[in-house]
Amino acid sequence: MPENSIPTLYEWAGGMPAFEELTNVFYDKVLKDELLEPVFKQMSGEHRLHVAHFIAEVFGGPELYSTEEGSHFKMIQKHLFKHLTEQHRKRWVTLLLQTADEINLPDDPEFRSAFVAYIEWGTRIAVLNSNTDQLLMNPTEPMPKWGWGVPGGPFPG
Ligand code: HEM
């Protein structure tokens, strides 16, 4: 397959409607979860849309979050002083992956490998930043850009 015909993770996932459905269904679950509900009960009405836009942009989608809603630095700042634990993180990941299955995000090995790798990375960074009182990050730090990684592209079948 020529390199320029490899879809982005964003395209492969189904574009913005897929990311919006993912975060909508996910945060409904979060608000029913006894461990996570107290952490998220004060989130804004736009939280789920912003997170959809953030993840979509990381996966090669339009630059909505970084141009209109925040930046990587602003996202990191939103986690400061939240004192998230590994238990919170694990539950967050579990519910997100359950949601991915429920809404039928592509389940080929290549897509899920890239998806889970980003979620592991991103959630661990969120926990680290929620427990520090000195943020050592350049405010102009660009958004992370995730690719297919070692598998190199979607499953050909
Ligand atoms: C890949 C992982 C993650 C991403 C991409 C992410 C993304 C974001 C974004 C974009 C915001 C700002 C939303 C806005 O502008 O309204 C935010 C806020 C927040 N996130 Fe995360 N997050 C991640 C992981 C986590 C985890 C694991 C937790 C806790 C278990 C968490 C807890 C929060 C909280 C409490 C806020 C602030 C909510 C409020 O405004 O009250 N995040 N996150």
Side-chain angles (χ1 to χ4, degrees), residues 2-154:
E3 192 158 307
N4 62 8
S5 69
I6 296 176
T8 61
L9 293 164
Y10 168 81
E11 289 164 333
W12 190 254
M16 200 57 87
F19 289 93
E20 288 182 12
E21 190 182 4
L22 178 71
T23 59
N24 265 327
V25 176
F26 170 66
Y27 283 107
D28 283 349
K29 285 190 195 303
V30 162
L31 291 177
K32 288 190 200 128
D33 183 272
E34 58 187 19
L35 181 64
L36 293 181
E37 190 271 344
V39 177
F40 286 94
K41 65 177 179 222
Q42 271 154 10
M43 70 179 161
S44 76
E46 291 190 308
H47 180 98
R48 45 184 81 199
L49 193 60
H50 287 174
V51 177
H53 290 169
F54 187 93
I55 300 177
E57 186 168 341
V58 170
F59 284 171
E63 297 184 345
L64 288 183
Y65 188 83
S66 64
T67 57
E68 290 168 29
E69 294 157 3
S71 63
H72 190 212
F73 185 64
K74 283 225 172 88
M75 184 280 255
I76 297 288
Q77 281 178 313
K78 292 268 184 186
H79 296 95
L80 284 181
F81 312 118
K82 300 281 186 211
H83 303 295
L84 304 173
T85 63
E86 175 59 14
Q87 224 193 343
H88 290 129
R89 190 193 74 80
K90 274 210 181 79
R91 184 69 56 86
W92 197 101
V93 171
T94 302
L95 293 182
L96 190 76
L97 296 184
Q98 264 174 24
T99 310
D101 286 342
E102 252 173 64
I103 68 159
N104 296 316
L105 269 195
D107 63 358
D108 55 290
E110 286 75 5
F111 178 78
R112 288 303 177 100
S113 163
F115 185 71
V116 168
Y118 170 65
I119 294 303
E120 271 296 307
W121 184 79
T123 54
R124 285 172 190 276
I125 288 180
V127 171
L128 287 175
N129 286 316
S130 75
N131 288 297
T132 181
D133 53 8
Q134 46 162 309
L135 185 58
L136 300 173
M137 183 183 174
N138 181 344
T140 61
E141 181 97 18
M143 295 281 285
K145 292 281 174 202
W146 221 257
W148 288 93
V150 174

